[in-house]
Amino acid sequence: MLEDYRKHVAERAAQGIAPKPLDAVQMAALVELLKTPPAGEEAYLLDLLTNRVPPGVDEAAYVKAGFFAAVAKGEVHSPLLTAEKAIELLGTMQGSYNISPLVDVLDNAALAPLAARALKSMLLMFDNFYDVEEKARAGNAHAQEVMTSWTEAKWFLSRPVLAEKMTVTVFKVTGETNTDDLSPAPGRGRIFRCMPWRC
């Protein structure tokens, strides 16, 4: 897999374009390499894991999130990845397959602060919002912290202030356009739910 991907990167570089991200099959192969990394490839494997897998609803993201969840639970081990690092990287995946593992970790005393930090900046919670709410009502201090952060809109207020003036390019597209045209989802008709306080 590494040899093929390096060849792909070189071919794309010769054309002056960025390489494609890893697909689900490549990500599965990467998981196996991370369990027993070849000598000298450690940094490259971590770079692929961190920077070459699309976030969100991509199939490779599903494999990546599942791997991180297994590492966090201690079900899978990699000499290159601690449970803490797995949670940190789950927090960079923007929302979807990474959410349930992060919510589950709120019950792990050692890892809950990391999961809470990641969840505070998540917007694409969908029905997992209610899982956090349930944990908060049951007395989970980290879930309560997340709910308070969302309520106070810290995810928004922590963003840089908008510039006084911005120059943008607008593309006019004929016909019907939806979010799947801009950010492909595995299936059409996917229902996205907003946070209760933003509906």
Side-chain angles (χ1 to χ4, degrees):
M1 188 279 281
L2 293 181
E3 185 179 340
D4 289 345
Y5 193 71
R6 282 189 169 111
K7 182 179 177 183
H8 165 75
V9 170
E11 288 171 352
R12 302 274 286 193
Q15 299 172 46
I17 53 179
K20 292 180 182 179
L22 299 180
D23 61 26
V25 173
Q26 291 169 319
M27 182 60 219
L30 178 59
V31 165
E32 295 308 311
L33 289 170
L34 287 160
K35 292 177 186 176
T36 53
E41 296 288 7
E42 296 86 354
Y44 188 59
L45 293 175
L46 286 174
D47 180 64
L48 289 177
L49 179 67
T50 306
N51 301 311
R52 295 292 182 184
V53 184
V57 295
D58 187 273
E59 289 180 4
Y62 175 78
V63 177
K64 180 177 176 176
F67 172 61
F68 286 149
V71 170
K73 292 176 184 176
E75 298 170 351
V76 172
H77 300 281
S78 167
L80 306 182
L81 202 64
T82 63
E84 291 79 8
K85 186 64 176 178
I87 296 301
E88 180 187 322
L89 290 173
L90 269 173
T92 67
M93 294 181 66
Q94 300 181 3
S96 187
Y97 299 122
N98 65 325
I99 298 299
S100 286
L102 287 171
V103 173
D104 290 344
V105 170
L106 291 174
D107 294 321
N108 179 318
L111 299 175
L114 296 172
R117 185 183 312 146
L119 287 167
K120 287 175 187 178
S121 64
M122 293 289 164
L123 298 181
L124 304 176
M125 290 296 297
F126 314 111
D127 286 343
N128 293 115
F129 166 83
Y130 301 106
D131 299 329
V132 177
E133 181 185 40
E134 184 180 332
K135 288 181 185 296
R137 289 185 189 278
N140 183 305
H142 296 287
Q144 290 169 353
E145 211 178 284
V146 173
M147 294 292 289
T148 299
S149 179
W150 286 340
T151 302
E152 295 173 354
K154 289 182 179 177
W155 55 271
F156 177 75
L157 297 173
S158 64
R159 303 285 182 185
V161 176
L162 288 176
E164 288 293 319
K165 178 181 177 182
M166 290 188 293
T167 302
V168 298
T169 301
V170 177
F171 294 93
K172 182 178 179 182
V173 181
T174 59
E176 179 186 350
T177 305
N178 62 40
T179 57
D180 282 356
D181 296 320
L182 305 173
S183 177
R188 295 289 177 180
R190 183 181 175 92
I191 298 173
F192 291 91
R193 297 190 182 198
C194 58
M195 297 285 201
W197 62 88
R198 299 186 68 217
C199 294

